[in-house]
Amino acid sequence: MLIKREYHCLIAGLPDLFFDENKTTVNSSTFREELQLQLSPSDYELVEYLFLPFDNQNLLNIFFELDKPISAEGIFTKQELQFQLSPENEEVKLPEYMTLFLSWKKGKESKELDLEAENILTTLFYEYALNCSNSFLQRWLRFELNLKNLFTAYNCKQHNYDTEAQLLQVKGEDLVYSLLIDDKLKTDYFEELLPYHEELFKIAEANLEPIEQEKAIDKIKWDYLDENTFFHFFTIEKILAFTIKLLLIERWMKLDTQTGKQLLNKLIDELLTSYEFPAEFSLTK
């Protein structure tokens, strides 16, 4: 049995690393750099999976020459991606799913960015990431994928779009996808397939404003992370969950400052209390 590394000092020191009295002192990019220094190479590779979606968007921006800012959260710099995509570069050194996407797109007549291209890249990313070596991260990515597809299916139904053209069909992840394609949007079908299925269906059917729906979904994500790391005190799972929460907070800081601050306060409270072990784990009882 493989014994997991534990990061007592890193995790116990998160409050000091991140927060002073009035402001966040470290963002997700800086935190990732810190993790690269402190984690084992194999554990740090798991962290990188959480940042690759930013690289995906950056890749699209550069490949299709879009006039959009490059996300600083990406693992690759703008210069690195530009070099990798340049005709002069004879050996592309990018994650395998990116090279597969580039090969697919270069064989297409259309050179414009469209929904199909975005969905292909995202699908290839999930197929790549779901083969990672950590079961917690696999479950999180599967949960995230199924959430995307569930709410996309509801939007398609509401606006009479072609569901099959919009959903992400990831190899090996057919159960939820098939139900959504067949328009079986009832909670009973998803009881064994989708955590928090009842709460998620209530959100989908509530006809909320987009930002209110996003808040409700992210609360479910936060609860999922808490539930699935409850017994992980100092291992990589706790660090992965913390990183995901930090990325959620940063997204809300851009979308809605008040919600971002509320989530930040929640994270601070969790940091201050999360190392009070349950009584049954006490070493002194």
Side-chain angles (χ1 to χ4, degrees), residues 134-147:
N134 182 273
S135 59
F136 164 78
L137 185 55
Q138 287 176 351
R139 292 194 303 272
W140 163 255
L141 291 167
R142 183 173 295 110
F143 182 58
E144 184 182 56
L145 168 66
N146 289 333
L147 286 188

Side-chain angles (χ1 to χ4, degrees), residues 45-276:
E45 286 179 6
L46 298 175
V47 172
E48 285 192 323
Y49 285 106
L50 301 177
F51 290 86
L52 282 173
F54 298 104
D55 290 293
N56 294 345
Q57 192 58 56
N58 289 341
L59 180 72
L60 295 175
N61 290 345
I62 294 173
F63 183 82
F64 293 101
E65 299 180 349
L66 305 179
D67 187 21
K68 293 184 178 180
I70 296 298
S71 171
E73 289 85 359
I75 297 168
F76 300 98
T77 66
K78 179 179 180 179
Q79 291 73 24
E80 287 171 334
L81 284 176
Q82 286 175 328
F83 173 74
Q84 289 297 320
L85 297 176
S86 67
E88 293 78 18
N89 180 29
E90 298 180 355
E91 185 180 1
V92 176
K93 294 182 180 179
L94 291 171
E96 182 182 8
Y97 75 93
M98 289 187 181
T99 60
L100 288 173
F101 168 77
L102 294 172
S103 297
W104 169 82
K105 189 57 185 175
K106 288 175 181 176
K108 291 285 186 178
E109 292 184 7
S110 171
K111 301 305 178 184
E112 301 295 322
L113 176 61
D114 53 24
L115 179 63
E116 181 187 22
E118 291 189 80
N119 282 352
I120 289 291
L121 179 58
T122 306
T123 298
L124 289 172
F125 162 72
Y126 276 108
E127 290 178 357
Y128 171 80
L130 282 165
N131 282 310
C132 72
S133 60
N134 182 273
S135 59
F136 164 78
L137 185 55
Q138 287 176 351
R139 292 194 303 272
W140 163 255
L141 291 167
R142 183 173 295 110
F143 182 58
E144 184 182 56
L145 168 66
N146 289 333
L147 286 188
K148 289 179 186 291
N149 277 343
L150 174 65
F151 285 92
T152 298
Y154 262 96
N155 288 334
C156 289
K157 182 177 181 181
Q158 183 177 358
H159 299 288
N160 295 316
Y161 294 151
D162 179 5
T163 303
E164 189 168 0
Q166 304 288 330
L167 297 190
L168 303 174
Q169 186 177 11
V170 175
K171 292 178 183 178
E173 303 298 325
D174 299 326
L175 295 176
V176 170
Y177 173 85
S178 298
L179 290 171
L180 297 176
I181 288 294
D182 292 339
D183 200 27
K184 294 181 178 178
L185 297 177
K186 294 183 179 180
T187 57
D188 292 348
Y189 291 115
F190 295 84
E191 184 174 358
E192 301 297 326
L193 301 175
L194 186 61
Y196 298 93
H197 62 286
E198 291 184 352
E199 294 92 333
L200 291 168
F201 272 84
K202 287 179 182 178
I203 294 170
E205 295 168 355
N207 197 28
L208 299 171
E209 291 294 323
I211 196 165
E212 294 303 320
Q213 185 181 83
E214 285 291 312
K215 289 179 185 178
I217 294 171
D218 281 356
K219 182 183 185 304
I220 296 293
K221 290 180 179 179
W222 199 288
D223 291 344
Y224 174 95
L225 293 168
D226 286 342
E227 180 180 343
N228 284 272
T229 56
F230 185 79
F231 292 106
H232 294 282
F233 296 113
F234 296 105
T235 59
I236 186 60
E237 287 80 8
K238 185 68 81 175
I239 294 169
L240 292 170
F242 184 91
T243 304
I244 295 167
K245 289 179 178 180
L246 187 61
L247 291 170
L248 288 177
I249 290 170
E250 289 188 344
R251 184 167 70 91
W252 278 107
M253 286 294 190
K254 298 174 184 177
L255 292 175
D256 177 17
T257 304
Q258 182 178 359
T259 301
K261 288 180 178 179
Q262 289 173 349
L263 287 175
L264 179 58
N265 289 333
K266 182 176 176 64
L267 186 62
I268 293 172
D269 289 341
E270 289 180 359
L271 287 173
L272 295 176
T273 61
S274 61
Y275 309 112
E276 297 177 4

